[in-house]
Amino acid sequence: MRGTDKPRSSPLVPDAVVAEIARHDWDSMVCGCGRSAGHLVDTLWNAAEGHPAAYRALNGHAFQAGVLKEPAPAVCGVLMAVWTAGPPRLATREALLWALVALLGSDDDGSAYEAGLYGRCAAFVRRGADSLRREAAARPGSVSAAYVDGVLRLLGLAV
């Protein structure tokens, strides 16, 4: 697996999420903290296993002070793979949605319609917009619904 020195497995992490993590060359990216982004694999693995704090730990790495960093699109790909797999715990879903709002609320030198960091992040999230809407519809007035509304507004997809 790229970005790690050993393959990992967990009954909590679906194969699609493992494949998305493995698809990226984390070691070749410069993290927001200035190191190789290879260390993010552990954080993303923890997020995929359902640890809400792992999503907040992306601050300073995938985004920092409102600016996207090089690993942001790959991180979005993993987050959306986790979302698609359907994290069972409400706290995990809310933390994941928080991370999406934080990522999409950050800036780079591109736009939502270009291949910059933001555009590549937005592309991953747009593909899952329908499942995000279903989450909001299933929990009107909830924290999850508020985060989904934020994500959709940031993408220009809010009704």
Side-chain angles (χ1 to χ4, degrees):
M1 177 181 296
R2 292 195 236 181
T4 64
D5 55 355
K6 60 185 181 300
R8 296 177 76 164
S9 67
S10 168
L12 301 175
V13 180
D15 291 343
V17 176
V18 174
E20 185 63 28
I21 292 171
R23 185 171 88 78
H24 301 283
D25 186 359
W26 300 96
D27 288 329
S28 72
M29 294 180 228
V30 177
C31 185
C33 70
R35 300 180 355 212
S36 157
H39 73 281
L40 286 180
V41 171
D42 288 336
T43 302
L44 292 167
W45 195 264
N46 288 334
E49 286 185 328
H51 303 288
Y55 294 95
R56 299 254 181 205
L58 295 170
N59 188 6
H61 302 278
F63 57 95
Q64 184 176 38
V67 178
L68 293 172
K69 300 300 179 183
E70 185 179 1
V75 166
C76 276
V78 173
L79 296 185
M80 291 311 294
V82 172
W83 180 262
T84 301
R89 293 180 45 214
L90 179 60
T92 302
R93 289 193 307 274
E94 288 176 355
L96 192 156
L97 291 167
W98 170 87
L100 292 178
V101 168
L103 284 156
L104 294 173
S106 298
D107 293 319
D108 80 331
D109 59 354
S111 77
Y113 304 102
E114 296 174 1
L117 295 175
Y118 182 86
R120 291 184 289 150
C121 287
F124 278 114
V125 182
R126 277 193 181 100
R127 282 186 232 143
D130 288 340
S131 66
L132 293 169
R133 286 186 182 100
R134 283 191 296 276
E135 174 77 10
R139 302 178 197 299
S142 68
V143 172
S144 293
Y147 281 139
V148 168
D149 182 60
V151 167
L152 296 176
R153 285 181 188 280
L154 288 164
L155 292 174
L157 300 175
V159 180

